[in-house]
Amino acid sequence: MPRALVIGGGVAGPAAALLLARDGWDVHVHEAHAEPDPYAGLFLNVATNGLAVLELLGLRERLLSDGHRAGRMVMWSRTGKELGAVPNGPAREPERGSVIVRRSWLHQVIREGAQAAGIATTYGSRLVSIDQDAHGVRATFADGTVAEGDLLVGADGIGSPTRHHIDPSAPEPRYSGLLGVGGFARVPGLAPTPETQHFVFGARSFFGYLVRTDGTAYWFANVTAPDRGATLTVDDLRALHSDDPYPVPQILAATTDELRPYPIDDLVGVRRWSRGRVVAVGDAVHATSPSAGQGASLALEDAAVLARLLREHDSLTDAFAAYQAARQPRTEAVVRYARAIDGQKRVTTSRLGVAIRDAMMPLFLRRAAADTRNDWLYNHTVG
Ligand SMILES: Cc1cc2nc3c(=O)[nH]c(=O)nc-3n(C[C@H](O)[C@H](O)[C@H](O)COP(=O)(O)OP(=O)(O)OC[C@H]3O[C@@H](n4cnc5c(N)ncnc54)[C@H](O)[C@@H]3O)c2cc1C
């Protein structure tokens, strides 16, 4: 039985492991964290296309059992005026809309799927180097242990050591000029937002929220910050949003968890996605800002396409070439799409700029509910 080493136990790693195991690979996942991370980046959008891959994995219903369906995104101005609504899924098909879940729940569902299939995962196993030759590939970990295989799949995220093994001159992530931060809160009397997520172009920062049926608000803010290392406290955030409409200040007032802001980076232009027996998937080779709501879904798509092409081709070289050719145009188009949205989120301090945006956006959004131009994001199939 050929042996595959999968580096990274986030989204793409366990998904790839599950699919490879189905095809007869003996798979072992190595994850750097000592144990599953319950915080794991708050919450995220699993888009229609990502749900399709979870269906393939037999995990879609499990994920949906603790998700917030959000097929509609409603935009608001800083004064509380509704600017319009955009489908979060294929146009005119709200029943196929995307879903918001805690990131830790997505990890748990995929991880449990891999465990149920008998796939071994070693935690606290941080890859530090890779060697390969005609006979196999060897991964060396920070604790000195070594694992050997016929194939290594690097699903090790945006800071991927696998990417650097494949091409030491590979580009680095680029900072978007936005800090991401978010949390959970309960505001007395705040009504649930079924099927919907709301976005507020605040006076000094961009804010998004939804309220689950149990009354828990999931919220995030994207704060314009030229300095990637800028600090941000909850008091800073409350001040930034103090002039924004209900329920933004109320959600922040009710937030008691410690904030963990992170710089929003993205990554494009990685010329080589594989070398010899080593291939990379997900954020390791293309990372999009959260603005597209597609990071996890693209990672899932990568896993599915790679597994299919390994099945269809006799050599790793051919499979990897077909994989990069199939995936790079789409994933980089999504990164560019997200960059355009990031541009709208960066707060302009010019009154004229705000007035123009608030006047133009309803015109752009008027027909958005029926606009099929974004269907390419959601209707993608992995073959
Ligand atoms: C803090 C944060 C918040 C995010 N929020 C959102 C969001 O709100 N919405 C959204 O759409 N997307 C969000 N994303 C992006 C989204 O989570 C990713 O696009 C998606 O998870 C990509 O999946 P992946 O499997 O490629 O990488 P990841 O999910 O990042 O998984 C990579 C895994 O590899 C492990 N790893 C790293 N280095 C090593 C090593 N040397 N050895 C072994 N293991 C290693 C990591 O610990 C991690 O578990 C966020 C990302 C981060 C980092």
Side-chain angles (χ1 to χ4, degrees):
M1 192 184 263
R3 186 168 164 78
L5 308 176
V6 173
I7 309 300
V11 177
L18 247 175
L19 292 163
L20 290 173
R22 277 188 196 169
D23 289 339
W25 290 84
D26 172 19
V27 190
H28 196 119
V29 179
H30 294 267
E31 164 56 46
H33 279 121
E35 55 191 40
D37 179 359
Y39 176 83
L42 299 168
F43 57 94
L44 50 68
N45 189 61
V46 181
T48 308
N49 45 307
L51 289 172
V53 179
L54 289 170
E55 175 96 57
L56 195 69
L57 295 169
L59 299 173
R60 183 176 181 275
E61 295 311 313
R62 174 90 173 126
L63 186 89
L64 292 179
S65 70
D66 194 17
H68 177 90
R69 299 302 297 244
R72 220 165 71 98
M73 301 184 282
V74 181
M75 312 291 161
W76 299 86
S77 78
R78 60 201 286 175
T79 58
K81 182 176 140 208
E82 185 173 331
L83 298 171
V86 182
N88 184 15
R92 294 197 218 94
E93 295 184 78
E95 69 287 354
R96 292 184 59 228
S98 307
V99 65
I100 313 279
V101 296
R102 285 192 188 230
R103 197 160 178 253
S104 55
W105 174 239
L106 174 64
H107 284 195
Q108 183 181 333
V109 168
I110 306 177
R111 186 174 69 239
E112 287 175 356
Q115 275 165 1
I119 294 163
T121 299
T122 306
Y123 290 92
S125 190
R126 178 175 292 279
L127 177 80
V128 288
S129 68
I130 302 171
D131 307 294
Q132 55 173 322
D133 59 25
H135 305 291
V137 56
R138 282 159 50 94
T140 303
F141 300 95
D143 61 4
T145 55
V146 172
E148 295 184 342
D150 301 288
L151 159 71
L152 184 147
V153 179
D156 40 8
I158 194 165
S160 169
T162 306
R163 178 174 75 244
H164 293 110
H165 167 80
I166 292 170
D167 180 2
S169 66
E172 293 300 324
R174 189 199 77 145
Y175 176 51
S176 65
L178 293 167
L179 292 182
V181 65
F184 306 98
R186 294 180 76 88
V187 177
L190 182 59
T193 61
E195 304 293 334
T196 307
Q197 187 173 16
H198 293 281
F199 299 92
V200 181
F201 289 89
R204 292 178 288 276
S205 162
F206 184 85
F207 194 89
Y209 72 94
L210 61 89
V211 186
R212 290 178 51 121
T213 46
D214 71 358
T216 309
Y218 288 16
W219 66 267
F220 73 88
N222 291 158
V223 178
T224 306
D227 176 6
R228 187 179 185 282
T231 56
L232 189 68
T233 66
V234 71
D235 287 335
D236 295 334
L237 207 58
R238 287 174 183 151
L240 284 170
H241 286 285
S242 59
D243 296 329
D244 290 343
Y246 178 88
V248 177
Q250 288 75 10
I251 289 174
L252 290 174
T255 295
T256 52
D257 295 339
E258 183 199 346
L259 299 189
R260 291 167 58 170
Y262 58 92
I264 295 179
D265 294 330
D266 69 17
L267 175 71
V268 281
V270 177
R271 283 189 305 117
R272 297 192 61 180
W273 289 23
S274 64
R275 174 147 77 97
R277 297 173 175 276
V278 175
V279 64
V281 291
D283 277 14
V285 276
H286 53 76
T288 165
S289 93
S291 294
Q294 283 283 344
S297 299
L298 292 181
L300 289 165
E301 286 183 4
D302 279 1
V305 173
L306 177 65
R308 174 173 61 77
L309 292 169
L310 283 167
R311 197 163 57 234
E312 290 175 2
H313 290 272
D314 291 333
S315 81
L316 294 182
T317 310
D318 290 349
F320 293 167
Y323 159 70
Q324 182 170 352
R327 297 299 299 155
Q328 192 159 20
R330 170 168 169 78
T331 54
E332 299 206 341
V334 175
V335 176
R336 286 192 295 275
Y337 168 75
R339 279 186 179 177
I341 302 174
D342 288 344
Q344 292 167 12
K345 287 177 168 180
R346 279 189 287 270
V347 169
T348 168
T349 46
S350 130
R351 283 181 180 216
L352 181 63
V354 171
I356 291 172
R357 186 189 66 200
D358 287 0
M360 297 304 290
M361 200 166 279
L363 302 179
F364 284 127
L365 297 180
R366 189 181 299 156
R367 293 195 183 82
D371 191 340
T372 54
R373 270 177 299 177
N374 282 342
D375 282 6
W376 65 276
L377 283 169
Y378 305 108
N379 281 339
H380 187 76
T381 53
V382 291

